Amino acid sequence: MAAAAAPGALGAWQAGRARLVAAGCAPLGPRWTLPGSLTGQRLGPAIRARGWAPAAGGLPSRRGYSSEVKTDDELRVRYLEEENRGIVVLGINRAHAKNSFSKNLVKMLSKAVDALKSDKKVRTVIVRSEVPGIFCAGADLKERVKMSSSEVGPFVSKIRAVINEIGGTQRLPRAIGMSLAKELIFSARVLDGQEAKAVGLVSHVLEQNQEGDAAYRKALDLAREFLPQGPVAMRVAKLAINQGMEVDLVTGLAIEEACYAQTIPTKDRLEGLLAFKEKRSPRYKGE
């Protein structure tokens, strides 16, 4: 999504009815779309193929928050209100381990995501770091080294279930091409924000602000752009994009047609047409 030239960055994904915007920003569902973003931090190419980018920086302002669910200090779930109603912020807070994924954090993320999937009022989810200067260091290797061989596979699968943008050997070539992907993976080279944007790994690179949350603010701006859009159309568009990218163009167009057919009998489609006729903003309800 967006990235700051100093500590703080973001990415975005979508899920079923909601859009998950990963910041340190798209809807929640079986597959997430996480447009990349980062700050002056560096990205490990093997795991940060297009999408899951850093979102770090200063803590968000308390203004505009209605509640905080304290499942654990490592993950903070906040529901925004007022003009941001429908946006939820997931804040990762493992400063001592650079926000790396532990079994406990993955478990909490999985629980939070499952709850958000079934919440029809949630339209957009922002994933951000609450640790200045870092988004996520990947898996917690100190914990990993203590795992038995039989534990490693299930743990990695669990991470994929929560964040399905992981999978550098498959996603990176699709995002930037096979030759460059091999070069980055074989060399284990790290990229700064400008380099990552130049090769198409991230969508935005930002100058850091005084508060240290430029990426989060960009994610919030993007989330606000998503809010007025029709939930039904957003959901099927995401499905068409995700599935279409895995097949040839002819099959992809057939998927698109099938997805559009799902919108035809909905109230939202009729509302969109009526709003256009009456020259007003549509009032979608996701029905």
Side-chain angles (χ1 to χ4, degrees):
M1 293 283 34
L10 76 108
W13 74 73
Q14 294 185 343
R17 299 174 181 272
R19 285 205 165 216
L20 192 66
V21 186
C25 115
L28 299 175
R31 296 177 64 83
W32 291 354
T33 302
L34 298 169
S37 71
L38 57 132
T39 62
Q41 308 157 19
R42 295 179 178 272
L43 295 179
I47 62 169
R48 292 212 170 73
R50 188 176 190 83
W52 182 247
L59 297 179
S61 167
R62 293 286 175 177
R63 184 176 178 275
Y65 289 113
S66 61
S67 62
E68 179 175 342
V69 181
K70 292 187 176 180
T71 55
D72 191 291
D73 271 352
E74 291 188 350
L75 182 67
R76 297 169 179 172
V77 183
R78 298 185 178 95
Y79 290 76
L80 277 58
E81 57 183 19
E82 299 171 357
E83 73 274 14
N84 297 323
R85 189 177 301 277
I87 301 174
V88 176
V89 179
L90 300 181
I92 303 176
N93 185 43
R94 295 193 76 220
H96 66 285
K98 296 184 177 180
N99 282 353
S100 57
F101 289 113
S102 64
K103 289 188 289 187
N104 184 53
L105 179 58
V106 171
K107 179 180 179 180
M108 288 190 296
L109 279 167
S110 179
K111 183 177 180 180
V113 168
D114 285 343
L116 293 172
K117 284 179 183 178
S118 60
D119 190 339
K120 296 182 179 180
K121 295 181 180 179
V122 177
R123 295 293 309 282
T124 302
V125 178
I126 297 177
V127 178
R128 66 161 301 170
S129 168
E130 298 198 355
V131 179
I134 190 70
F135 178 66
C136 175
D140 188 333
L141 298 183
K142 290 183 179 179
E143 183 182 75
R144 177 82 66 87
V145 75
K146 299 176 183 178
M147 294 183 187
S148 66
S149 299
S150 61
E151 291 179 292
V152 174
F155 175 68
V156 173
S157 296
K158 187 68 173 178
I159 295 180
R160 288 180 185 276
V162 178
I163 307 164
N164 63 13
E165 294 298 316
I166 292 176
T169 63
Q170 300 305 305
R171 298 186 184 281
L172 194 60
R174 287 170 168 80
I176 66 175
M178 183 182 296
S179 296
L180 184 55
K182 285 182 177 180
E183 179 182 327
L184 295 180
I185 292 172
F186 294 169
S187 66
R189 187 184 308 159
V190 292
L191 306 177
D192 63 24
Q194 293 293 345
E195 291 171 328
K197 188 174 188 298
V199 300
L201 279 176
V202 299
S203 304
H204 302 279
V205 177
L206 309 172
E207 290 293 332
Q208 187 58 281
N209 59 19
Q210 188 173 5
E211 293 76 17
D213 64 352
Y216 170 69
R217 295 299 165 186
K218 179 63 174 180
L220 194 56
D221 288 342
L222 291 171
R224 288 172 180 147
E225 288 186 52
F226 299 159
L227 285 178
Q229 312 309 321
V232 175
M234 301 283 282
R235 187 162 59 248
V236 296
K238 177 197 165 194
L239 181 64
I241 293 170
N242 286 346
Q243 293 192 356
M245 286 297 293
E246 306 297 328
V247 298
D248 60 85
L249 179 59
V250 173
T251 305
L253 290 171
I255 292 173
E256 179 183 77
E257 185 176 354
C259 286
Y260 174 70
Q262 295 181 41
T263 71
I264 294 176
T266 65
K267 294 178 181 179
D268 274 5
R269 187 183 74 89
L270 297 178
E271 165 61 16
L273 293 172
L274 185 61
F276 178 79
K277 178 181 178 181
E278 297 176 353
K279 294 181 170 49
R280 61 171 174 81
S281 298
R283 295 182 288 271
Y284 297 119
K285 296 182 180 179
E287 302 174 353

